[in-house]
Amino acid sequence: MSADLRPRSSLLPLASTLLVGTVALYMALVAFSNITDFGTNQQFVRHVLAMDTTFKDEDLMWRAITSTGLQDAAYVAIIVWETVAALLLVGATYFWATALRSRAFHTARRYSTLGLLMVLLLFGAGFMAIGGEWFVMWQSKSWNGLDAALRVFLLSGVVLLVTCLPHDEPAKG
């Protein structure tokens, strides 16, 4: 294809703006909900850590954390992590939006990568690995968040891949 027939810019920055904005909105709503309705997911965290709705296999129950102080500390740490990730992704969305008119692609990618990695770590390592496997959340019929964690993990992973795709930067002039 000759140089004059190539598109001047890619739609990837627009896609990145919209997709990162979607994850930013989701994480902001999750953090907001956990702060304003503290008790709902507090119970979820408590049951998962206590392993009180699992098969209660004696070979695994030594892993249970039954101290409400430790359970609540873990929940507060999760909320702080969610809030920081949401703020990074809101910032990334802003930088992607301004990158459509400037050359702030590197800053947008940096913020996106940090925020999305935080989401991937929380939902992948935190909820799926630690909650799902260490605290055997998969055994619970009532307190099992693995499907929701997988959905967020996959969405965030796809968005991270899109933000890292190469694209044409705006032409000067």
Side-chain angles (χ1 to χ4, degrees):
M1 181 182 285
S2 67
D4 57 342
L5 294 178
R6 274 187 270 150
R8 288 196 156 255
S9 66
S10 169
L11 288 177
L12 283 171
L14 176 60
S16 295
T17 303
L18 298 174
L19 291 172
V20 170
T22 298
V23 179
L25 175 63
Y26 175 79
M27 289 306 297
L29 291 173
V30 166
F32 179 78
S33 293
N34 285 338
I35 292 166
T36 60
D37 181 19
F38 190 83
T40 299
N41 281 329
Q42 176 189 35
Q43 292 306 309
F44 193 99
V45 170
R46 283 184 174 179
H47 284 289
V48 170
L49 296 180
M51 298 171 62
D52 58 359
T53 60
T54 64
F55 301 162
K56 296 191 171 112
D57 182 340
E58 63 186 52
D59 293 330
L60 300 176
M61 289 307 292
W62 63 270
R63 301 175 184 178
I65 297 174
T66 56
S67 163
T68 56
L70 289 176
Q71 293 168 347
D72 291 347
Y75 183 47
V76 169
I78 289 168
I79 293 171
V80 168
W81 190 272
E82 292 167 344
T83 303
V84 171
L87 291 171
L88 281 168
L89 292 169
V90 167
T93 303
Y94 168 79
F95 288 121
W96 277 114
T98 60
L100 295 173
R101 296 182 305 274
S102 68
R103 291 185 220 154
F105 293 105
H106 300 292
T107 303
R109 277 190 175 150
R110 187 175 311 115
Y111 276 74
S112 295
T113 300
L114 288 172
L116 291 166
L117 284 175
M118 286 184 74
V119 174
L120 288 166
L121 286 171
L122 178 63
F123 285 87
F127 298 150
M128 293 191 314
I130 296 170
E133 290 303 318
W134 184 257
F135 292 106
V136 291
M137 179 172 55
W138 64 269
Q139 292 181 358
S140 177
K141 290 182 181 171
S142 22
W143 301 100
N144 184 343
L146 289 174
D147 287 342
L150 179 61
R151 282 192 304 270
V152 177
F153 183 82
L154 290 175
L155 171 66
S156 301
V158 168
V159 174
L160 181 60
L161 289 174
V162 169
T163 64
C164 291
L165 289 172
H167 59 79
D168 298 328
E169 293 191 20
K172 292 182 182 180

